[in-house]
Amino acid sequence: MKKLTTLLLALYMTASTMAAAYAAEPLEYTIDGTGGPEYGNPTSIEVIHTPGEGAMKNEDVSKNAALAPPVFGSASADTLHTGTPLTPNLAPGYMPDTGAVINGSSSAVQPPALGGETNGTVYVPGSSTVTVTNPGGAADGYTEVTDDLYYSGGYLGTLKIPAIDLSVKIYQGTDSRTLAKGVGHFTETSIWGGNIGLAAHNRGTNSYFGRLHTLEAGDRITLTTKLGTRTYEVVSVAKVSETDRSSLADTRDNCLTLYTCVRNERDLRWCVRAVEV
């Protein structure tokens, strides 16, 4: 009996010592983090900044830049960056890669944004190697952007609006990267004769059109390009739907059409029309 008691006491002491040892050492867990900020594409057209590897480029990843794939079995069915704009009315100046083919045809035609068909090699706006017919057919109401119209700084002209203390350069295109530099030119519109379409941000560090909506009828706007200088007078300031691009249609009269977003109303745009004086 005495030996049994001694054995049980020894086992109890051993168990107590092991329990104390385990309690003194906290458990450790290691959980690996994500490999990078690859969480999917946002729907905003604002410039995106993310740290570390895998950071997104500063480019338009909104529905405005989305492409519907070419027809299954066509020459470019499996080629990246080919197709037609998913929302063509929101993608004025759509510029696919040179040589992109749609539906297997090889004939050069205008893109849908310029009123052409979608069955051939897509024309890249701004190229001096392709002759563009006047979109919309307005006589003497369209001036194509050609290589010789660019200034050495890569811009097409200067826009001045004294009423809002604005003087800014105009660049070809309306993507986010272009609008970060200045005012963007809708590539399917004229650059001198007829209707000239321009766009810019209305907030942030590059909010060149932040006070566009404060313009009033009679305010003057000056446009300078290599073709000369013209003065325009504001005739209307209106809110329109984000899908409404009817004001970008060609006109026989010389005019400016300026677009920017409406703060906190994502489905609307400010549209300012000014005519030559």
Side-chain angles (χ1 to χ4, degrees):
M1 185 67 181
K2 185 177 181 179
K3 291 182 178 180
L4 180 59
T5 301
T6 302
L7 178 61
L8 291 175
L9 182 59
L11 291 174
Y12 174 76
M13 294 297 291
T14 302
S16 298
T17 303
M18 293 179 63
Y22 280 119
E25 296 180 6
L27 298 178
E28 295 182 0
Y29 297 92
T30 300
I31 301 175
D32 293 333
T34 57
E38 300 294 345
Y39 309 127
N41 295 333
T43 57
S44 172
I45 62 171
E46 298 299 323
V47 176
I48 304 298
H49 296 281
T50 52
E53 295 183 1
M56 293 182 60
K57 297 179 180 179
N58 295 335
E59 58 187 11
D60 188 350
V61 292
S62 70
K63 62 182 178 296
N64 298 15
L67 297 180
V71 175
F72 178 77
S74 65
S76 61
D78 299 321
T79 305
L80 293 175
H81 310 301
T82 58
T84 55
L86 186 62
T87 53
N89 58 324
L90 301 182
Y94 164 59
M95 296 179 66
D97 291 340
T98 303
V101 176
I102 297 178
N103 293 345
S105 173
S106 60
S107 60
V109 297
Q110 292 177 266
L114 290 181
E117 301 176 357
T118 58
N119 63 346
T121 303
V122 177
Y123 162 69
V124 178
S127 170
S128 60
T129 61
V130 179
T131 301
V132 182
T133 58
N134 179 9
D140 300 322
Y142 179 82
T143 304
E144 177 192 356
V145 173
T146 52
D147 295 341
D148 58 329
L149 292 184
Y150 286 89
Y151 288 90
S152 58
Y155 60 97
L156 290 170
T158 302
L159 185 74
K160 294 184 179 181
I161 310 180
I164 57 176
D165 194 26
L166 178 68
S167 179
V168 60
K169 290 182 173 57
I170 301 168
Y171 295 87
Q172 180 75 324
T174 56
D175 57 273
S176 294
R177 187 172 301 176
T178 301
L179 297 186
K181 298 185 295 183
V183 169
H185 170 246
F186 285 105
T187 56
E188 78 273 26
T189 67
S190 175
I191 192 57
W192 186 243
N195 187 14
I196 303 170
L198 304 174
H201 287 313
N202 77 329
R203 64 175 64 193
T205 57
N206 303 310
S207 57
Y208 300 108
F209 280 178
R211 293 194 292 156
L212 189 72
H213 62 288
T214 67
L215 292 178
E216 299 178 350
D219 285 341
R220 296 296 179 97
I221 302 175
T222 301
L223 172 71
T224 300
T225 72
K226 281 195 171 183
L227 296 172
T229 297
R230 279 183 175 149
T231 300
Y232 302 81
E233 185 176 276
V234 173
V235 293
S236 66
V237 179
K239 284 184 181 180
V240 299
S241 167
E242 67 166 343
T243 61
D244 183 359
R245 291 295 185 268
S246 58
S247 294
L248 294 177
D250 287 332
T251 62
R252 294 178 182 274
D253 299 326
N254 296 327
C255 62
L256 290 176
T257 302
L258 313 179
Y259 275 99
T260 192
C261 296
V262 178
R263 293 193 179 191
N264 304 320
E265 297 183 63
R266 64 180 183 180
D267 295 330
L268 298 175
R269 298 290 184 267
W270 286 111
C271 178
V272 173
R273 175 60 69 88
V275 298
E276 184 183 16
V277 293

